[in-house]
Amino acid sequence: MAVNTKVEADQNAPAVTRILAEFVATHPSKGWSDAVEHEAHRTFLNWLGCAVGASQHEAVQAALRAVQVLEPAAQAMIAGRQDRVDIANAALINGISSHLFDFDDTHLKTIIHPAGPVCSAVLALAELTGASGRQLIDAVVLGIDVACRIGNTIYPHHYDRGWHITGSTGSLGAAAACARLLGLDTEKTTMALGIAASQPVGLREQFGTMTKPFHPGGAARAGLMSALLAREGFTASPRAIEAPRGFAQVVSTKFDWNEITDELGQRFEISFNAYKPFACGIVIHPSIDACVQLREQGVTADNLVRLDLRVHSLVLELTGKKEPADGLQGKFSVYHGCAAGLIFGRASEEEYDDAIVNREDVVATRRKVVAIVDDTIDEAAVEATATLKDGSSVHIRVDHAIGSLQRPMTDEDLMAKFTAMSVPVLGAEKTRRLIQQCWSLSDAGDVRALVAQAS
């Protein structure tokens, strides 16, 4: 029998579900700056490259076999593959694929990877409906804004409780994006958000397994279905986000409603997206960056005796796996990331191959890494000191890793990253054309021209 307990709640929250719905339904097309517009294309490019790059992974193969049991209609493509499935499962599998390498975009304020749920859902729907590139980009900007504003509202308390915020807010972002693409009015968009609010996806316990990338895929599918249900008249609470027993107040003890309403329609959260140069958890990036710099100063695995890291507690909480058994676990090991940076001078997907993670010299190097928690250090920073066999030491402090907003990846960097992931799958010429189509996506009359190149 349930216990009738009294739980402290905000009874007077603003009507943010409807406020967001009205924003999504009525905001003008391309109602933002050229900088925001360009960032939307960068976000889509990075997302698609990640999805194509991971398309042959065993997790994608397993997911595809599972959905094919359902005999899905051939409605939409899976990036990097010839297979076609229904739009809900295309959203699921592309969401899984785009996050598998942990190489996708990051909204640094919340550690949300917003493109996975939003782009995976909206591209599948756009392919089915024959939407224009302009419609797709509009939906991406607005869907990401919804996901990240809700994330701002509940982070970090929601994340600290163990929720994978990419999946939990991603359902809402994907629902908003798909509602926009379908042209739903404010009332039906409110219902779409309400339906999605009952489908948060993802627990941090799953980090280092195939289920972590399932989270953005599951969120993409949930958001897409929420919008379709709303279009057909399916109902939900119009206060599903803000009510005392609604999404925000159930999944977090912090709910700052101003994060949703302040500068809505003027400040766009996609502007704060960052892109990864390293294929692993974002909190490892400063440590890898430091190790690459140490390598450039002559530190090697052979002359290293010990590498001392001073890091924020979140780094070890998320990435403290000392002895990862495979590549997926290696993405959550600051120790492996440091070994990769010192030995290879990089940490791309190749450095997270199972064989590399278990290679003798890599294992020996990561065992020389000693990480100490120091919460005076920002979670985006690191102090690294290498002690060498000759008794000397080399010290590096990184306050902003490469790929951060302060040291962003350039368009050229993103194209090189895309090329490295896509060429082994699609070939050089198809990759070249696909990059061009991503940059000019907002001018495309029908997104299916891009889809044809991506599969």
Side-chain angles (χ1 to χ4, degrees), residues 246-268:
F247 173 84
Q249 298 204 57
V250 168
V251 302
S252 178
T253 55
K254 177 218 169 193
F255 21 89
D256 184 352
W257 310 118
N258 290 332
E259 291 283 4
I260 290 178
T261 56
D262 283 359
E263 299 182 282
L264 185 63
Q266 301 169 44
R267 182 194 76 234
F268 290 88

Side-chain angles (χ1 to χ4, degrees), residues 47-130:
W47 167 80
L48 185 57
C50 291
V52 169
S55 62
Q56 310 306 309
H57 192 278
E58 61 181 319
V60 175
Q61 306 272 23
L64 181 59
R65 290 194 301 271
V67 303
Q68 284 174 336
V69 173
L70 305 175
E71 299 184 359
Q75 295 177 317
M77 69 92 179
I78 298 171
R81 304 184 64 91
Q82 294 296 310
D83 308 275
R84 294 178 61 78
V85 295
D86 64 281
I87 57 172
N89 281 313
L92 169 69
I93 294 175
N94 285 329
I96 290 171
S97 184
S98 69
H99 194 54
L100 256 169
F101 285 173
D102 245 296
F103 223 176
D104 45 347
D105 59 326
T106 308
H107 178 257
L108 292 177
K109 185 175 179 181
T110 57
I111 328 182
I112 292 172
H113 307 289
V118 171
C119 293
S120 301
V122 82
L123 182 61
L125 183 58
E127 180 182 354
L128 180 68
T129 61

Side-chain angles (χ1 to χ4, degrees), residues 142-223:
L142 296 171
I144 285 177
D145 214 54
V146 167
C148 293
R149 282 178 175 272
I150 293 171
N152 291 343
T153 299
I154 58 179
Y155 185 84
H157 298 53
H158 172 70
Y159 194 77
D160 289 344
R161 284 298 304 160
W163 286 95
H164 185 193
I165 195 169
T166 294
S168 57
T169 64
S171 301
L172 291 149
C178 291
R180 173 70 180 213
L181 196 70
L182 291 170
L184 302 189
D185 62 16
T186 298
E187 293 301 325
K188 288 192 172 180
T189 302
T190 302
M191 294 300 102
L193 292 175
I195 298 164
S198 279
Q199 301 176 81
V201 181
L203 303 175
R204 282 171 49 197
E205 169 61 23
Q206 303 288 0
F207 285 14
T209 75
M210 291 181 185
T211 299
K212 181 177 188 276
F214 172 84
H215 298 159
R221 181 176 60 183

Side-chain angles (χ1 to χ4, degrees), residues 320-339:
K321 295 181 184 295
K322 290 188 175 182
E323 299 292 346
D326 56 30
L328 287 176
Q329 290 186 14
K331 291 174 183 293
F332 296 90
S333 171
V334 67
Y335 306 96
H336 177 73
C338 286

Side-chain angles (χ1 to χ4, degrees), residues 1 13 20 29 42 53 58 73 186 192 199 247 285 293 295 330 335 387 407 411 415 430 441-442:
M1 176 178 287
L20 285 172
S29 175
R42 280 163 55 87
E58 61 181 319
T186 298
Q199 301 176 81
F247 173 84
H285 287 210
Q293 293 184 48
R295 186 175 187 268
Y335 306 96
T387 302
R407 296 172 60 201
D411 291 352
M415 287 189 287
K430 224 175 187 182
L441 181 56
S442 59

Side-chain angles (χ1 to χ4, degrees), residues 18 20 23 52 87 89 156 176 211 301 305 332 356 362 382 418 440:
R18 184 175 180 84
L20 285 172
F23 164 61
V52 169
I87 57 172
N89 281 313
T211 299
V305 174
F332 296 90
I356 295 295
V362 174
V382 69
F418 188 109
S440 61

Side-chain angles (χ1 to χ4, degrees), residues 381-453:
V382 69
E383 287 194 8
T385 303
T387 302
L388 307 184
K389 288 180 177 178
D390 65 4
S392 65
S393 63
V394 184
H395 178 78
I396 294 285
R397 180 181 175 98
V398 173
D399 288 305
H400 304 290
I402 184 171
S404 65
L405 294 177
Q406 293 80 6
R407 296 172 60 201
M409 293 185 74
T410 65
D411 291 352
E412 290 71 24
D413 292 335
L414 287 178
M415 287 189 287
K417 175 181 172 181
F418 188 109
T419 299
M421 290 187 288
S422 178
V423 167
V425 179
L426 297 177
E429 182 56 28
K430 224 175 187 182
T431 295
R432 184 189 64 79
R433 291 197 298 266
L434 192 54
I435 290 172
Q436 290 177 339
Q437 288 176 314
C438 286
W439 287 128
S440 61
L441 181 56
S442 59
D443 298 323
D446 187 328
V447 300
R448 285 178 283 209
L450 177 142
V451 165
Q453 293 297 323

Side-chain angles (χ1 to χ4, degrees), residues 222-284:
L224 172 55
M225 289 305 305
S226 296
L228 292 174
L229 285 164
R231 183 182 66 173
E232 302 305 321
F234 206 87
T235 65
S237 166
R239 302 184 64 231
I241 296 173
E242 72 273 10
R245 296 296 180 267
F247 173 84
Q249 298 204 57
V250 168
V251 302
S252 178
T253 55
K254 177 218 169 193
F255 21 89
D256 184 352
W257 310 118
N258 290 332
E259 291 283 4
I260 290 178
T261 56
D262 283 359
E263 299 182 282
L264 185 63
Q266 301 169 44
R267 182 194 76 234
F268 290 88
E269 295 299 314
I270 202 169
S271 301
F272 309 109
N273 238 5
Y275 309 94
K276 293 182 176 183
F278 309 128
C280 60
I282 193 78
V283 295
I284 305 178

